[in-house]
Amino acid sequence: MGLFDGFKGGEAAAPMGIRNAIKEELDRNDWNYEINDEKEENRQETYFYMRNELENDEPITAVIVVREYDHADGFIKIKLYDIAYLERAEARAELLAKINTWNGEFRYVKFCLDRDQDVVLDIDLPLDLHKGEFQPDSVMAMMAVGMRVVEKVYDDLTELCTRGHKASSEE
């Protein structure tokens, strides 16, 4: 498989260990973020929200999602939002073709269109970064990889899309 899409759970003494390690890493690097915790029986989900800027000073939103269980494996997902959105429906096929090409080029990051036609970047964490033990600096490194990928395709992306985020449709 090769991608880090889960981490070992099941130890009652370890709940929130990954969440706290990421929080400490963000604090150590003086990153500004907002945190939102959601808790249910046997499950804790945490969202870290941050604003980052590309090299061209365009802002994007980064979200780290940590889901931990006290009885099973959990996961970490990193998503980059507010990159661009598809305003012209006639450009959809061309954009999807480019997204498929980019997704074939980049190993740990995948572009997609959400239901509002926003371009979103999903980032997976490779197992080999962790060497058997969770390392929170790997999360920061993979977020940086995602930012670099967005910068690499940015010009091609903005030929077909409008910069920023499209507000959710009111239905």
Side-chain angles (χ1 to χ4, degrees):
M1 191 158 122
L3 295 180
F4 181 79
D5 58 1
F7 51 86
K8 196 68 178 162
E11 293 184 29
M16 301 304 299
I18 302 297
R19 175 223 187 256
N20 292 339
I22 291 173
K23 183 179 182 323
E24 287 175 20
E25 183 69 13
L26 292 170
D27 291 343
R28 187 178 69 78
N29 288 292
D30 294 324
W31 283 48
N32 291 323
Y33 62 91
E34 291 182 23
I35 193 168
N36 181 23
D37 289 315
E38 296 178 11
K39 190 171 188 170
E40 293 180 16
E41 185 178 340
N42 300 325
R43 177 178 73 104
Q44 175 76 33
E45 196 162 285
T46 301
Y47 298 85
F48 294 92
Y49 298 95
M50 295 161 273
R51 295 292 286 171
N52 290 329
E53 288 186 356
L54 301 174
E55 285 184 2
N56 64 3
D57 296 329
E58 291 288 349
I60 64 170
T61 301
V63 179
I64 302 171
V65 181
V66 178
R67 183 176 291 164
E68 294 185 75
Y69 299 95
D70 62 5
H71 63 286
D73 293 349
F75 68 83
I76 299 170
K77 286 286 184 193
I78 302 170
K79 295 182 178 277
L80 300 182
Y81 295 97
D82 302 336
I83 301 166
Y85 67 93
L86 182 63
E87 190 169 34
R88 299 177 300 119
E90 63 273 10
R92 182 178 173 80
E94 187 178 355
L95 176 60
L96 290 175
K98 284 190 178 205
I99 284 174
N100 285 336
T101 299
W102 297 331
N103 287 348
E105 290 176 17
F106 303 111
R107 182 172 178 191
Y108 300 116
V109 301
K110 299 297 176 213
F111 286 94
C112 62
L113 280 177
D114 69 10
R115 70 173 185 234
D116 293 319
Q117 305 306 304
D118 283 328
V119 176
V120 177
L121 186 71
D122 274 336
I123 305 167
D124 287 315
L125 289 115
L127 281 172
D128 55 355
L129 290 179
H130 296 282
K131 297 183 174 49
E133 180 180 321
F134 177 71
Q135 299 172 19
D137 58 337
S138 296
V139 175
M140 304 305 114
M142 290 308 294
M143 194 163 36
V145 166
M147 298 282 289
R148 278 187 239 120
V149 167
V150 170
E151 289 167 348
K152 183 173 182 174
V153 304
Y154 188 81
D155 291 339
D156 287 339
L157 184 63
T158 55
E159 286 176 9
L160 298 170
C161 294
T162 303
R163 169 69 194 115
H165 163 74
K166 184 176 181 182
S168 295
S169 54
E170 303 283 328
E171 295 182 33

